[in-house]
């Protein structure tokens, strides 16, 4: 078994190198430009002017956590201050 | 996500509790939690219902959808809805009276809130949790 390990590692390394090469080869112009354009469109859309501002009242909510248990904002606030961070996701 | 994990103990010692919210399904949130060794709540906001109330939701542009799909990321599958909407990354601090005390949103994905700003706001609120 131990003898097979270097071979597997080499194959994985080759695969990773291949992925990286194809990423570098295909990403440049089109993807980076599109991402840049989409970011600029969001900035000019005025969306950031409509977000919840300091001094306003936060909405009450209840959402399931990673194991499906409901977490309610007012319950959290009964214990302390809530730091709420929104993220798009992890893929 | 890992940046927040690093300041988690400081957040807690200042009376704060960290909640991370994404439109991903609980299963995907669980994967995020395990992969990144996170010790705070990762909540699942399917359909961006809460993110919408915070004013953060936008439709992913058609040309960006092609890029996500090109990377094998089908948001409909990850998020359990076909809307192809996402929340802008943003961080809010809400005090015990339900009032927003810090609001940071940026449409530019390269800009993130400095974790120190969170701790500063918690310090000014001064509300240490009863031990």
């Amino acid at each position: 078994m131990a003898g097979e390990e270097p071979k597997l590692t080499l194959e994985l390394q080759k695969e990773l190198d291949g992925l990286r090469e194809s990423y570098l080869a295909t990403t440049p112009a089109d993807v980076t430009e599109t991402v840049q354009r989409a970011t600029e469109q969001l900035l000019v859309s005025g969306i950031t002017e409509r977000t919840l501002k300091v001094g306003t009242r936060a909405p009450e909510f209840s959402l399931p956590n990673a194991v499906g248990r409901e977490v309610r904002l007012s319950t959290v606030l009964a214990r302390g201050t809530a730091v709420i961070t929104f993220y798009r996701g992890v893929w | 996500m890992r940046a927040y994990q690093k300041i988690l103990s400081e957040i807690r010692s200042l009376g704060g509790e960290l909640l991370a919210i994404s439109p991903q399904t609980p299963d995907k949130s669980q994967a995020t939690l395990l992969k990144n060794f996170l010790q705070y709540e990762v909540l699942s906001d399917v359909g961006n219902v809460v993110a919408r109330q915070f004013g953060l939701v936008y439709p992913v542009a058609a040309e960006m959808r092609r890029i996500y799909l090109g990377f094998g990321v089908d948001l409909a599958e990850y998020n359990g809805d076909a809307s192809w909407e996402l929340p802008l990354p943003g961080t809010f601090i809400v005090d015990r009276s339900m009032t927003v005390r810090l609001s940071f949103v940026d449409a530019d994905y390269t800009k993130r809130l400095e974790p120190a700003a969170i701790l500063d706001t918690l310090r000014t609120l001064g509300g240490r949790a009863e031990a």
Side-chain angles (χ1 to χ4, degrees):
Chain A
M1 289 300 275
E4 285 175 28
E5 222 169 273
K7 190 180 143 212
L8 283 174
T9 310
L10 263 179
E11 268 177 16
L12 176 63
Q13 191 56 55
K14 239 167 69 184
E15 274 177 27
L16 291 175
D17 288 348
L19 278 177
R20 195 155 152 266
E21 266 172 41
S22 66
Y23 174 76
L24 289 175
T26 54
T27 311
D30 56 334
V31 173
T32 53
E33 278 172 28
T34 304
V35 170
Q36 185 60 35
R37 202 161 43 238
T39 302
E40 281 162 11
Q41 281 167 2
L42 264 179
L43 285 168
V44 300
S45 74
I47 185 171
T48 55
E49 284 145 43
R50 296 188 290 272
T51 55
L52 224 55
K53 298 291 183 272
V54 169
T56 58
R57 191 175 169 79
E60 165 73 317
F61 62 80
S62 178
L63 290 173
N65 69 4
V67 293
R69 185 176 58 79
E70 289 286 319
V71 174
R72 186 173 286 277
L73 179 61
S74 55
T75 309
V76 171
L77 293 179
R79 294 192 294 261
T81 310
V83 178
I84 304 167
T85 185
F86 289 86
Y87 68 105
R88 293 183 168 103
V90 178
W91 304 293
Chain B
M1 306 284 293
R2 290 202 191 106
Y4 286 113
Q5 176 65 38
K6 279 183 194 153
I7 59 163
L8 187 59
S9 62
E10 286 176 272
I11 288 176
R12 284 180 179 156
S13 71
L14 291 165
E17 189 164 334
L18 183 58
L19 309 173
I21 300 178
S22 88
Q24 297 193 327
T25 61
D27 277 1
K28 301 291 182 190
S29 295
Q30 196 173 39
T32 300
L33 194 99
L34 295 174
K35 265 192 270 181
N36 295 286
F37 305 102
L38 305 179
Q39 291 170 299
Y40 50 85
E41 294 283 17
V42 177
L43 307 181
S44 185
D45 181 25
V46 172
N48 286 296
V49 176
V50 175
R52 210 176 305 280
Q53 290 178 290
F54 279 77
L56 298 170
V57 183
Y58 69 93
V60 176
E63 55 180 3
M64 280 301 293
R65 290 185 197 198
R66 282 195 289 275
I67 288 179
Y68 277 105
L69 288 170
F71 283 106
V73 177
D74 182 354
L75 287 184
E77 185 207 324
Y78 274 88
N79 297 350
D81 82 86
S83 69
W84 279 83
E85 288 179 324
L86 286 175
L88 286 176
T91 299
F92 301 83
I93 292 181
V94 179
D95 72 13
R96 288 176 173 228
S97 72
M98 213 95 173
T99 305
V100 176
R101 302 301 293 260
L102 177 144
S103 166
F104 178 88
V105 179
D106 208 312
D108 184 347
Y109 66 99
T110 60
K111 290 180 190 165
R112 290 289 158 90
L113 179 65
E114 283 295 321
I118 293 170
L119 300 176
D120 286 346
T121 302
L122 288 174
R123 262 182 221 111
T124 58
L125 289 175
R128 267 175 187 280
E130 307 89 278

